[in-house]
Amino acid sequence: MRDRTPLPVFDIGQVLLRWQPRDSLGRHLADDAAIDAFMEEVGFMDWHARQDAGRPVIEAVAEHSARFPHHASILASFYDDWLLSVPGEVPGTRAIFEGLAARGPVYGISNFSRELFDRTVPAYPFLGSFTGLVLSGDVGINKPDPRIYAILCERHDLTPSDCVFIDDSERNVAAARAHGMAAIHFTDAASLSASLRGLGLTW
């Protein structure tokens, strides 16, 4: 019979890795106001979300550059220099993740382009330690679509009530709970550690 402590399911961006697109965009734009104006004009977050859902980067850059030719160089350089927008780990969470992975299965659900994920892993090899990982770019579905939680469970024969999902987005946490998972809204490593230990997880 399986140990009834929950199976951890991690998000990646803003939980394990920092994602700071403004850091990269700031190389091309004068100040925060200019970055804000650029992101609003091009609909940056919605545009990037389509890459998370599987649109090839080369196609995304070509289409958006045609719409915003005066920003073409910025749009291209954002993905050419992708790792500048991933400036490091979220403090403290790698130790939790690796400790849990050393003791048992650890799963993941992340809104992440496959091609960008594959560029990221060599810089952060611990991301290869997932027992099972569903990337939105592979399945064409972004969180909080409920189907992405179902895909993880179906692929790995998991019961939702046996899982605890960890994400920085309240919408994604709510969707996981609606699917039957326990869920933790991530704010920092210390709070996450306390919440997981409260559920009986140790590392």
Side-chain angles (χ1 to χ4, degrees):
M1 184 174 178
R2 192 185 75 77
D3 179 2
R4 300 309 296 177
T5 55
L7 296 166
V9 182
F10 281 82
D11 178 31
I12 295 176
Q14 311 296 36
V15 174
L16 293 172
L17 297 183
R18 295 166 58 213
W19 187 59
Q20 304 290 348
R22 298 175 69 92
D23 288 0
S24 179
L25 297 173
R27 297 179 306 131
H28 306 282
L29 297 160
D31 52 29
D32 284 345
I35 295 171
D36 289 341
F38 166 80
M39 294 181 81
E40 182 175 358
E41 181 184 355
V42 305
F44 181 85
M45 297 304 291
D46 289 340
W47 175 66
H48 178 74
R50 290 190 60 193
Q51 284 69 273
D52 280 346
R55 180 169 63 168
V57 164
I58 191 169
E59 178 183 311
V61 171
E63 288 183 2
H64 235 46
S65 294
R67 289 183 60 196
F68 304 99
H70 53 299
H71 290 315
S73 62
I74 300 176
L75 295 165
S77 69
F78 179 74
Y79 289 121
D80 288 344
D81 301 319
W82 165 250
L83 286 176
L84 294 177
S85 69
V86 189
E89 300 169 13
V90 173
T93 55
R94 176 181 174 180
I96 296 171
F97 173 84
E98 291 187 323
L100 291 169
R103 293 177 64 91
V106 177
Y107 298 92
I109 303 173
S110 183
N111 287 353
F112 217 136
S113 155
R114 166 54 69 178
E115 62 183 302
L116 297 177
F117 180 78
D118 288 345
R119 292 190 211 171
T120 304
V121 170
Y124 302 99
F126 75 94
L127 295 176
S129 299
F130 285 101
T131 306
L133 174 63
V134 174
L135 296 180
S136 58
D138 288 337
V139 299
I141 301 166
N142 286 342
K143 294 174 295 180
D145 189 310
R147 291 174 294 172
I148 199 166
Y149 306 92
I151 288 169
L152 177 78
C153 293
E154 290 163 3
R155 283 186 178 176
H156 300 286
D157 195 25
L158 304 177
T159 301
S161 60
D162 287 341
C163 300
V164 56
F165 178 65
I166 303 148
D167 199 293
D168 66 298
S169 163
E170 291 184 349
R171 288 197 317 155
N172 297 343
V173 165
R177 288 176 178 152
H179 189 64
M181 295 179 174
I184 297 169
H185 179 220
F186 177 80
T187 56
D188 59 70
S191 298
L192 174 61
S193 177
S195 295
L196 291 174
R197 291 186 189 280
L199 293 171
L201 285 161
T202 58
W203 54 94

